[in-house]
Amino acid sequence: MKNLLTVLLFSIAMLGANAQCTLTNLLTENLVDPIGIDQTKPRFNWQLQNSGRNIKQVAYEMEVRKGSVNGPKVWQSGKVMSDSSVHVAYKGAALQSGTRYWWKVRVWDNGSKVSAWSSTAFFQTALLQQADWKANWVEAGYKEDSILRPCPLFRKSFSLKKKVQSAVAYITAHGMYEAQLNGRRVGNAYLTPGWTAYHKRLQYQTYDVTGLVQKGENAVGVTVGNGWYRGPIGFSNSRDVYGKTLALLMQIVVTYSDGNTETITTDSTWKSTAGPIRNVEIYNGEMYDARLEKTGWANAGFDDKDWSGVKVVGATKEILLATHNEPVTKHEVFQPVKVFTTPAGEQVIDFGQNLVGWVTIKVNGQAGDTITLRHAEILDKKGNMYFANLRQAKQTNHYILKGGGTENFEPHFSWQGFRYVQVKGLREPLLPENFQAVALYSNMQPTGTFSTSNTLLNQLQHNIQWGQRGNFLDVPTDCPQRDERLGWTGDAQAFSRTASFNMNVDNFFAKWLQDLEADQVNGAVPYVIPNVIDSNAVNSAGWADVATIIPWNMYLAYADRALLANQYNSMKAYVESIRKVARDNLWNNGSHFGDWLFYRPEDDNDGRSAVTDKHMIAQCFYAHSTQLLINAAKVLGKKADEEMYAQLLEQIKAAFQREYLTPSGRLVSSTQTAYVLALQFDMLPDALRTQAAKRLNDNVKAYGNHITTGFLGTPYICHVLTRYGYDTTAYKLLLQEKYPSWLYPVKMGATTIWERWDGQKPDSSFQTPGMNSFNHYAYGAIGDWMYRQMVGLDTYEDEPGYKHIRIQPHLSDSIKQASASLKTYYGEVSAGWKLQGQQFSLDVTVPPNTHASVFIPALNANAITESGNSLNAVADLKVKGMVNGYTEVEIGSGTYHFAAPAVKTN
């Protein structure tokens, strides 16, 4: 039977190898059929599908047509000898605004076979020139209630005289907007136009609204809310950070069946009035009075004679840009898992998951009845709702009924971070089926999976992913519930590599990094992006280094050279901002957060867990950012910069060694973080690294295999332990169940990552409420070690983006199975290992047009088999030799099953 199976697998592989490739997953600018891109030379991705082994692309041909599938060609590439199938740039005729283009591709493989042409994909350009904007900015024409600030409604009726072929809407606002055409919602995006550095960058969205308009009478209606633009934001709840008045800019371009066009724009003919949303703020929630609804107000024929006009204003259009990243959309919908009354007499719904979004309700009552929904993440030790950690944020929605039947309420322009919802004001019993929790987050595609034989680790992975979902709402926020929700740079850089595994964050971070550059102050990087704190709140080590760390991490994850090139000046300006203030190559000045929220036991008598010297941390990150700048210069061919910063890096490390290192190799701070950063960033002479790693290992063991690091040391500690041969200690840290540890919150029932190691203490009391979020992803950075070291799924820097894949699992007898998969731009790569008795097995799948180096833990290469055959008998792979207890094997695309006698790990 075994031989028959081997023959069958071989036959299938041969059939795949002899078959033509098919092409799938066509992307433009990393998106499926995007509408509204303003890149003049967009980039294309495609994937080869072929189950055979060692399948590679050797050439491609692309065709782009304008207007329709059979329209005129604007680019015919001809046969291009290249294996590129990711980020292939358009090289045809100049693109035109507001135009749809259709493209397809075919490839030649290394077996001299040409594929059939792919199916046709499309992209549609946005407004490529400022002059393409015909609309004017308009503000409400009535006197605003300056206290409540109700959301204004804008509307206009218009008539279309001929049959419509297509219609496209371009919309943005000062504030947030929701638009309707003929009473139907425009698009599925929320919190638009998103948050950017509004003074320099304001996004607009493009929508295909062909199906929403008709020949004859039409109407458009838009609601605008305060949002980030003028609502309370930041620690002081500052209002009007970007402006005092809300405004709308919109135009609809209609193409008739005869080819002629007509444009409907915001102008002086629009009408405005205050709507039923009486007040809505990001932190506080919404007050909605259904008695003030204007039934049919976004439909043709609505009588708006009592509405006010609008005020045309001269706000700039020079900063407008098309949206590059995925919008915030609705995702999972949760039903109540429990409805109960707390000891305090509160009616509470438990949705079973700490999530970010809002609760929708269906309710009956009398006009004027008010339903109040107050949201919290956790219950206190008595079982009551815990609100103290929200600080000043109210996280409360009020719905005032109009009466007369069943009513439905869904919030707008705000969101809540919660698991529990307190409900007040119902006349009837609370029915669970009348309440749903809707998750909101940026519409990034899920890419990574991870599972093990350990259920606690699987829950940890769940918590990591939900922490990311809850905090990736157009910007990477620190937390989603209290009066903060800011784009903290330290959290984002620490988590960025983990984030790129779980979801495709290529466009998400590309957009945010442009705001980072826009808000830099003479190269210095603010604490939060967009910066709503203070222009002087800049350059904290480990936070500001986001300017170099995320661009490089995105390059590694996605091979996105354009992102790296776009951010290079920002990276360089940041390093230079440190260089200007450094003294004798030491960055020993400025204000720094240090190793934020590190663990410090009360009985710390010998200083092993004392505060890590902040300036020593700064010097480490100064070196790291300089190294990443060198890496970027090398990739981009900036030889002079590469050489100049290589010299600077030597001086930075020499200064570190003079200032912070004794001749025997002891650091001035004896903490885990001190040794982790010094080793991770190669700050020590080669001869002193081994002993430093032992000091780190001894420190961890001395604390009973507990972690004491904070935001800056945590992402790297297990990586460093593994790098220096202490896998056993890394696993003990990971699998530690008592505080402080990653699994302690899991054991306490967490469904997301906590801000503090002990957000809730073993006795169910809480850490200080001033800073105690239960959805705060930074410590979830351990996911990167689980994926890249535990399972061993990684990419090489020579061919990033998983073109050259590295698979090197690190095992523990405590875990019997671990697997991970990742949807890359080339296709899905996966690796999974098992320990069964005395046998080790490793299953690997490598997508076409890539190759992998696989490291199999085995003391003897001759004992390893692949699909039941000895390695030497398998023609599809190459044995490279032994490396530190592993046999290295080079493979191409395909599915492989390796087996070997298990090697004892601990």
Side-chain angles (χ1 to χ4, degrees):
M1 177 63 80
K2 182 177 180 180
N3 290 336
L4 179 60
L5 178 60
T6 300
V7 170
L8 180 61
L9 291 172
F10 179 78
S11 299
I12 293 172
M14 288 299 99
L15 284 173
N18 291 323
Q20 288 181 326
C21 291
T22 56
L23 305 179
T24 62
N25 295 328
L26 275 61
L27 304 177
T28 306
E29 287 300 318
N30 311 319
L31 301 169
V32 177
D33 296 339
I35 295 175
I37 64 171
D38 59 5
Q39 288 88 344
T40 57
K41 294 182 179 180
R43 299 166 300 155
F44 308 105
N45 296 0
W46 58 87
Q47 291 178 10
L48 282 66
Q49 296 291 325
N50 190 308
S51 59
R53 290 186 173 182
N54 296 311
I55 303 298
K56 294 181 180 180
Q57 172 187 304
V58 297
Y60 68 83
E61 182 176 16
M62 291 193 65
E63 178 182 288
V64 182
R65 293 177 181 266
K66 175 185 172 184
S68 68
V69 174
N70 298 313
K73 291 181 183 178
V74 294
W75 185 35
Q76 185 78 42
S77 71
K79 186 177 182 179
V80 180
M81 301 305 297
S82 170
D83 67 349
S84 295
S85 59
V86 171
H87 304 316
V88 177
Y90 173 77
K91 296 179 181 178
L95 301 177
Q96 297 178 359
S97 291
T99 303
R100 184 165 292 192
Y101 294 88
W102 298 82
W103 66 279
K104 60 183 180 180
V105 62
R106 61 176 177 173
V107 305
W108 286 259
D109 66 22
N110 52 334
S112 300
K113 299 180 187 68
V114 60
S115 73
W117 283 99
S118 69
S119 59
T120 306
F122 72 82
F123 65 93
Q124 188 163 317
T125 52
L127 302 177
L128 303 181
Q129 307 292 333
Q130 183 183 332
D132 294 327
W133 277 101
K134 308 302 180 185
N136 294 300
W137 281 101
V138 296
E139 297 176 354
Y142 58 87
K143 185 177 181 181
E144 182 185 48
D145 176 344
S146 60
I147 304 300
L148 284 178
R149 289 180 154 183
C151 291
L153 308 180
F154 295 89
R155 81 174 305 273
K156 177 182 173 63
S157 294
F158 60 95
S159 180
L160 301 178
K161 304 301 184 184
K162 293 178 283 189
K163 183 179 180 181
V164 175
Q165 177 178 297
S166 65
V168 179
Y170 306 92
I171 317 176
T172 191
H174 292 158
M176 292 180 186
Y177 73 85
E178 288 186 6
Q180 299 179 58
L181 270 166
N182 295 322
R184 296 162 63 189
R185 196 178 199 279
V186 175
N188 64 349
Y190 291 82
L191 312 183
T192 48
W195 192 10
T196 53
Y198 290 138
H199 55 300
K200 293 184 179 179
R201 291 165 34 83
L202 176 59
Q203 295 183 141
Y204 63 90
Q205 284 72 46
T206 305
Y207 304 96
D208 184 340
V209 294
T210 306
L212 302 182
V213 296
Q214 61 196 7
K215 180 181 177 181
E217 296 304 310
N218 296 267
V220 56
V222 184
T223 307
V224 181
N226 294 335
W228 298 283
Y229 187 81
R230 72 168 192 177
I233 196 76
F235 299 127
S236 59
N237 277 324
S238 299
R239 300 204 313 178
D240 305 334
V241 171
Y242 296 102
K244 293 183 178 181
T245 54
L246 302 179
L248 173 68
L249 183 70
M250 179 178 184
Q251 68 187 45
I252 306 170
V253 179
V254 178
T255 302
Y256 293 114
S257 57
D258 62 6
N260 291 319
T261 63
E262 183 174 354
T263 302
I264 295 90
T265 67
T266 43
D267 58 22
S268 61
T269 65
W270 283 57
K271 294 292 193 72
S272 65
T273 192
I277 304 176
R278 307 309 295 161
N279 176 263
V280 60
E281 306 293 359
I282 290 173
Y283 298 154
N284 297 329
E286 177 177 346
M287 178 186 292
Y288 187 97
D289 190 341
R291 298 171 299 179
L292 301 177
E293 289 178 343
K294 322 292 184 185
T295 303
W297 72 277
N299 288 319
F302 177 80
D303 184 0
D304 60 10
K305 68 178 184 299
D306 295 330
W307 287 37
S308 301
V310 296
K311 179 167 47 175
V312 176
V313 294
T316 183
K317 302 174 191 173
E318 294 179 358
I319 62 173
L320 297 178
L321 67 151
T323 302
H324 295 171
N325 58 311
E326 298 84 352
V328 172
T329 57
K330 294 180 181 178
H331 293 273
E332 296 85 356
V333 175
F334 292 85
Q335 306 298 330
V337 297
K338 183 181 180 182
V339 176
F340 61 98
T341 301
T342 68
E346 306 156 338
Q347 276 196 306
V348 172
I349 300 173
D350 176 7
F351 285 100
Q353 171 64 50
N354 193 359
L355 68 128
V356 173
W358 53 52
V359 174
T360 64
I361 64 173
K362 184 166 62 175
V363 65
N364 288 278
Q366 299 179 8
D369 287 353
T370 300
I371 308 302
T372 299
L373 306 177
R374 194 176 183 192
H375 305 72
E377 294 184 285
I378 200 165
L379 303 177
D380 65 20
K381 63 191 305 179
K382 294 182 180 179
N384 294 314
M385 296 278 279
Y386 183 69
F387 299 116
N389 69 321
L390 302 180
R391 301 192 305 218
Q392 296 182 59
K394 295 178 181 177
Q395 278 221 129
T396 302
N397 293 327
H398 303 277
Y399 178 72
I400 304 173
L401 280 72
K402 58 187 173 185
T406 300
E407 302 178 44
N408 296 283
F409 171 63
E410 179 172 61
H412 316 75
F413 307 135
S414 182
W415 68 90
Q416 288 79 50
F418 66 98
R419 172 174 171 173
Y420 302 93
V421 175
Q422 176 195 101
V423 183
K424 291 183 178 181
L426 291 175
R427 286 181 176 268
E428 301 175 348
L430 193 161
L431 300 177
E433 59 267 29
N434 290 338
F435 295 81
Q436 291 183 329
V438 180
L440 290 179
Y441 49 89
S442 289
N443 194 30
M444 307 159 292
Q445 292 303 301
T447 50
T449 68
F450 170 84
S451 67
T452 74
S453 56
N454 185 301
T455 57
L456 294 179
L457 286 185
N458 296 341
Q459 183 64 40
L460 175 62
Q461 168 65 3
H462 171 97
N463 295 2
I464 290 170
Q465 291 183 323
W466 274 95
Q468 180 171 350
R469 290 170 184 168
N471 283 290
F472 277 41
L473 276 81
D474 203 61
V475 300
T477 58
D478 58 324
C479 61
Q481 73 296 96
R482 67 185 180 220
D483 55 345
E484 193 164 350
R485 312 185 195 190
L486 305 175
W488 278 96
T489 50
D491 305 54
Q493 70 82 10
F495 189 72
S496 59
R497 194 73 190 270
T498 301
S500 70
F501 175 86
N502 287 308
M503 293 181 171
N504 187 320
V505 293
D506 194 351
N507 289 9
F508 178 88
F509 275 127
K511 170 259 185 182
W512 187 67
L513 288 169
Q514 291 175 45
D515 290 303
L516 183 152
E517 183 172 18
D519 275 345
Q520 280 181 267
V521 181
N522 296 320
V525 177
Y527 300 161
V528 300
I529 300 296
N531 187 16
V532 292
I533 297 181
D534 185 333
S535 60
N536 296 315
V538 296
N539 269 22
S540 174
W543 273 250
D545 300 87
V546 68
T548 57
I549 291 173
I550 291 188
W552 184 250
N553 280 348
M554 295 306 100
Y555 175 70
L556 293 178
Y558 304 112
D560 196 339
R561 191 176 184 275
L563 186 154
L564 199 62
N566 290 340
Q567 295 303 130
Y568 184 79
N569 289 339
S570 167
M571 298 170 72
K572 184 174 179 178
Y574 169 58
V575 171
E576 286 298 324
S577 73
I578 305 172
R579 191 178 190 177
K580 290 174 185 175
V581 300
R583 296 177 291 216
D584 296 325
N585 297 305
L586 276 175
W587 189 16
N588 56 3
N589 49 47
S591 176
H592 303 281
F593 294 115
D595 191 30
W596 191 249
L597 297 185
F598 66 96
Y599 167 75
R600 186 175 184 177
E602 296 178 358
D603 60 346
D604 178 29
N605 296 318
D606 56 12
R608 288 171 299 166
S609 71
V611 177
T612 309
D613 187 289
K614 292 184 178 182
H615 292 148
M616 187 182 77
I617 291 174
Q619 192 71 3
C620 289
F621 276 96
Y622 183 18
H624 184 46
S625 280
T626 303
Q627 179 65 69
L628 297 181
L629 183 59
I630 294 167
N631 295 352
K634 185 176 181 179
V635 169
L636 300 174
K638 299 178 181 292
K639 188 67 175 176
D641 277 3
E642 183 185 351
E643 293 175 352
M644 176 180 69
Y645 287 108
Q647 293 179 1
L648 175 62
L649 182 59
E650 290 182 2
Q651 297 165 354
I652 293 169
K653 290 184 177 181
F656 174 90
Q657 292 166 18
R658 290 194 304 271
E659 187 78 3
Y660 302 112
L661 181 67
T662 69
S664 65
R666 184 170 58 85
L667 294 172
V668 296
S669 294
S670 297
T671 64
Q672 291 177 15
T673 291
Y675 285 99
V676 164
L677 297 181
L679 291 165
Q680 176 69 20
F681 301 149
D682 297 328
M683 303 300 292
L684 308 179
D686 289 345
L688 294 179
R689 294 179 186 178
T690 299
Q691 62 83 33
K694 184 178 184 303
R695 291 176 190 267
L696 171 62
N697 187 64
D698 290 345
N699 183 300
V700 173
K701 291 170 67 175
Y703 278 101
N705 298 309
H706 282 281
I707 193 167
T708 65
T709 55
F711 276 30
L712 298 184
T714 298
Y716 305 114
I717 186 167
C718 285
H719 283 287
V720 170
L721 289 167
T722 290
R723 177 181 173 184
Y724 287 94
Y726 294 107
D727 279 341
T728 299
T729 303
Y731 265 103
K732 287 181 178 179
L733 277 180
L734 176 65
L735 297 175
Q736 176 64 254
E737 296 181 11
K738 296 181 179 180
Y739 161 76
S741 70
W742 287 285
L743 295 185
Y744 167 74
V746 173
K747 296 276 284 188
M748 291 292 288
T751 60
T752 45
I753 299 297
W754 293 356
E755 180 176 18
R756 292 176 175 270
W757 292 119
D758 60 342
Q760 188 174 32
K761 298 178 182 295
D763 65 357
S764 294
S765 64
F766 296 105
Q767 256 285 3
T768 172
M771 191 169 57
N772 193 23
S773 162
F774 292 95
N775 191 353
H776 211 103
Y777 55 72
Y779 285 143
I782 184 59
D784 183 49
W785 183 86
M786 298 192 303
Y787 320 141
R788 293 202 292 134
Q789 302 297 340
M790 184 176 180
V791 175
L793 192 55
D794 202 358
T795 185
Y796 280 93
E797 294 186 10
D798 64 339
E799 295 179 272
Y802 298 87
K803 176 76 167 174
H804 184 188
I805 300 159
R806 179 186 180 93
I807 297 174
Q808 184 174 4
H810 292 265
L811 312 183
S812 168
D813 288 343
S814 303
I815 302 293
K816 299 305 178 184
Q817 173 272 327
S819 61
S821 68
L822 179 64
K823 294 178 181 177
T824 75
Y825 284 142
Y826 296 98
E828 185 169 298
V829 56
S830 65
W833 56 261
K834 292 182 180 179
L835 289 171
Q836 294 177 303
Q838 301 301 311
Q839 189 74 8
F840 165 82
S841 63
L842 175 65
D843 290 307
V844 173
T845 298
V846 176
N849 211 26
T850 69
H851 61 111
S853 298
V854 181
F855 295 81
I856 304 162
L859 300 178
N860 185 351
N862 293 328
I864 302 173
T865 62
E866 193 284 306
S867 296
N869 300 304
S870 65
L871 292 185
N872 293 331
V874 181
D876 298 322
L877 54 79
K878 180 180 180 181
V879 179
K880 298 291 293 289
M882 297 291 296
V883 181
N884 297 325
Y886 290 87
T887 296
E888 181 181 0
V889 178
E890 288 290 325
I891 60 174
S893 67
T895 298
Y896 301 81
H897 176 78
F898 298 100
V903 177
K904 186 171 178 59
T905 57
N906 53 32

